[in-house]
């Protein structure tokens, strides 16, 4: 075997797996988006761009798109919050640093549906802990968070922030360890206080990690489904005003059994994520510092 064949021998199984489990489903979904089938997946008919025309003229598309963008924008707040938490955990001389990292990371390891059920109880309008606390401070008529349009989406977004902080903190903690202590010593000698060191040394040197997390947070935001479905459910009176794009896909493909329409929604999400990610990569040149 030639020397040049050895790398292909080792990389080949991985490339085959990627082709089978990633690229083939994308191509298959793209083809399905141009077809229509019966409820059992048979009687395939090519309909061209009809599924996309139906999607773009759906009356519930603007609402689903707006909810997805709202959720994505709100959960992005987890990134600056995670920067603050990670910086506090990595303070020099802090004891129990490993324990704090573990406590913040544990929610990320738990099943999202199980965690969503806990938050569903927390936001319950009748006996939830949040409303009990609001009543204790004098708010006699707090809202029914999960069944009121608007409030329901914010409750789901709060769950998204909480569940993503653990992963963010681990990534940022690794980035903080790569910052040379000499930079803080030099800044201190120049008269910089703690806030100035944080804003002018820590944050600029963390921008590669922050950029990576914003990419992951945006992609995760466009994939909103499990937390929304588990916290609200299909019979919730606020679900029609709180549907995300992925929920729209689920309803179209698996409830309505319209595989072609569901595939069109999936491709719409893929293109949308690609556009937003491309914009992020274009914009990162202005604020991300790699040196």
């Amino acid at each position: 075997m030639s020397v040049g064949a050895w790398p292909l021998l080792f990389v080949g199984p991985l490339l085959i797996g990627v082709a089978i489990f990633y690229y083939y489903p994308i191509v298959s979904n793209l083809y399905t988006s141009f077809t229509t089938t019966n409820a059992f997946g048979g009687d395939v008919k090519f309909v061209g761009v009809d599924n996309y025309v139906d999607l773009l003229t759906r009356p519930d598309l603007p609402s689903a798109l707006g909810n997805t963008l709202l959720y994505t924008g709100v959960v992005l707040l987890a990134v600056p919050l995670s920067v603050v938490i990670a910086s506090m955990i990595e303070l020099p001389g802090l004891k129990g640093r490993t324990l704090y990292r573990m406590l913040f990371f544990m929610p990320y390891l738990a099943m999202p549906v199980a965690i969503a059920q806990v938050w569903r109880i927390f936001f319950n309008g009748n006996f939830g802990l949040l409303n009990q606390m609001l009543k204790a401070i004098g708010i006699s008529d707090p809202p029914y968070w999960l069944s009121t349009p608007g409030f329901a989406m914010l409750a789901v977004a709060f769950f998204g922030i909480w569940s993503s902080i653990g992963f963010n903190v681990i990534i940022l903690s690794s980035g903080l360890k790569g910052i040379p202590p000499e930079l803080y010593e030099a800044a201190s000698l120049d008269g910089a206080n703690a806030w100035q060191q944080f804003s002018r040394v820590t944050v600029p040197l963390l921008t590669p990690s922050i950029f990576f997390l914003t990419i992951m947070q945006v992609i995760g935001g466009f994939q909103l489904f499990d937390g929304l479905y588990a916290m609200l459910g299909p019979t919730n009176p606020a679900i029609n005003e709180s549907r995300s794009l992925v929920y729209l896909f689920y309803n179209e493909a698996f409830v309505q059994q319209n595989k072609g329409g569901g595939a069109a929604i999936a491709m719409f999400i893929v293109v949308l994520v690609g556009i937003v990610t491309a914009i992020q990569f274009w914009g990162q040149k202005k604020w991300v510092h790699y040196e």
Side-chain angles (χ1 to χ4, degrees), residues 6 29 58 64-65 67 84 91 129 155 172 186 199 241 243 251 255 257 268 286:
W6 280 105
N29 188 83
R58 289 180 63 132
L65 178 59
N67 289 332
V84 175
L91 284 174
L129 180 60
L172 292 168
S199 60
E241 290 79 13
R243 285 180 293 190
N251 185 73
V255 178
Q257 295 294 325
F268 177 75
K286 301 181 180 180

Side-chain angles (χ1 to χ4, degrees), residues 48-108:
V49 296
D50 287 356
N51 289 326
Y52 291 95
V53 173
D54 292 340
L55 169 63
L56 296 177
T57 56
R58 289 180 63 132
D60 54 356
L61 178 64
S63 174
L65 178 59
N67 289 332
T68 302
L69 294 176
L70 173 63
Y71 174 85
T72 303
V74 174
V75 295
L76 277 173
L77 295 175
V79 176
L81 183 59
S82 300
V83 172
V84 175
I85 294 173
S87 299
M88 294 175 65
I89 291 176
E90 298 300 326
L91 284 174
L94 180 67
K95 297 181 180 180
R97 183 177 291 115
T98 303
L99 175 62
Y100 292 130
R101 291 198 201 103
M102 182 184 69
L103 291 175
F104 277 103
F105 190 64
M106 283 178 63
Y108 181 77

Side-chain angles (χ1 to χ4, degrees), residues 151-171:
F151 286 114
M153 202 66 222
L154 291 178
V156 174
F158 185 87
F159 159 75
I161 292 174
W162 181 85
S163 59
S164 62
I165 284 179
F167 176 78
N168 295 351
V169 166
I170 295 299
I171 297 297

Side-chain angles (χ1 to χ4, degrees), residues 17-269:
V18 170
I20 293 175
F21 295 106
Y22 285 90
Y23 294 128
Y24 172 74
I26 293 176
V27 174
S28 177
N29 188 83
L30 178 62
Y31 170 76
T32 303
S33 69
F34 294 108
T35 65
T36 182
T37 62
N38 58 31
F40 300 99
D43 191 22
V44 179
K45 296 180 180 179
F46 186 81
V47 295
V49 296
D50 287 356
N51 289 326
Y52 291 95
V53 173
D54 292 340
L55 169 63
L56 296 177
T57 56
R58 289 180 63 132
D60 54 356
L61 178 64
S63 174
L65 178 59
N67 289 332
T68 302
L69 294 176
L70 173 63
Y71 174 85
T72 303
V74 174
V75 295
L76 277 173
L77 295 175
V79 176
L81 183 59
S82 300
V83 172
V84 175
I85 294 173
S87 299
M88 294 175 65
I89 291 176
E90 298 300 326
L91 284 174
L94 180 67
K95 297 181 180 180
R97 183 177 291 115
T98 303
L99 175 62
Y100 292 130
R101 291 198 201 103
M102 182 184 69
L103 291 175
F104 277 103
F105 190 64
M106 283 178 63
Y108 181 77
L109 299 177
M111 294 180 62
V113 174
I115 300 176
Q117 292 300 322
V118 176
W119 283 104
R120 185 175 184 176
I121 297 174
F122 177 80
F123 283 109
N124 186 278
N126 294 319
F127 55 82
L129 180 60
L130 177 58
N131 277 4
Q132 295 301 320
M133 291 188 297
L134 293 177
K135 290 178 181 179
I137 61 175
I139 302 177
S140 59
D141 190 23
Y144 284 78
W145 298 91
L146 298 180
S147 57
T148 305
F151 286 114
M153 202 66 222
L154 291 178
V156 174
F158 185 87
F159 159 75
I161 292 174
W162 181 85
S163 59
S164 62
I165 284 179
F167 176 78
N168 295 351
V169 166
I170 295 299
I171 297 297
L172 292 168
S173 295
S174 300
L176 286 166
K177 290 180 180 179
I179 300 178
E182 295 80 8
L183 294 178
Y184 293 105
E185 296 174 3
S188 178
L189 291 175
D190 289 339
N193 55 33
W195 167 251
Q196 290 172 329
Q197 292 180 35
F198 173 76
S199 60
R200 299 180 184 180
V201 177
T202 302
V203 173
L205 293 179
L206 272 183
T207 48
S209 298
I210 295 173
F211 174 63
F212 168 75
L213 291 177
T214 57
I215 293 289
M216 299 301 294
Q217 204 82 55
V218 168
I219 294 175
F222 276 93
Q223 295 175 339
L224 170 66
F225 174 73
D226 46 6
L228 176 69
Y229 188 87
M231 290 185 68
L232 301 187
T235 60
N236 191 302
I239 191 63
N240 289 335
E241 290 79 13
S242 306
R243 285 180 293 190
S244 64
L245 288 173
V246 178
Y247 191 95
L248 213 64
F249 157 77
Y250 160 78
N251 185 73
E252 190 71 17
F254 298 102
V255 178
Q256 304 297 329
Q257 295 294 325
N258 182 5
K259 307 300 182 183
I265 297 174
M267 294 309 303
F268 177 75
I269 297 173

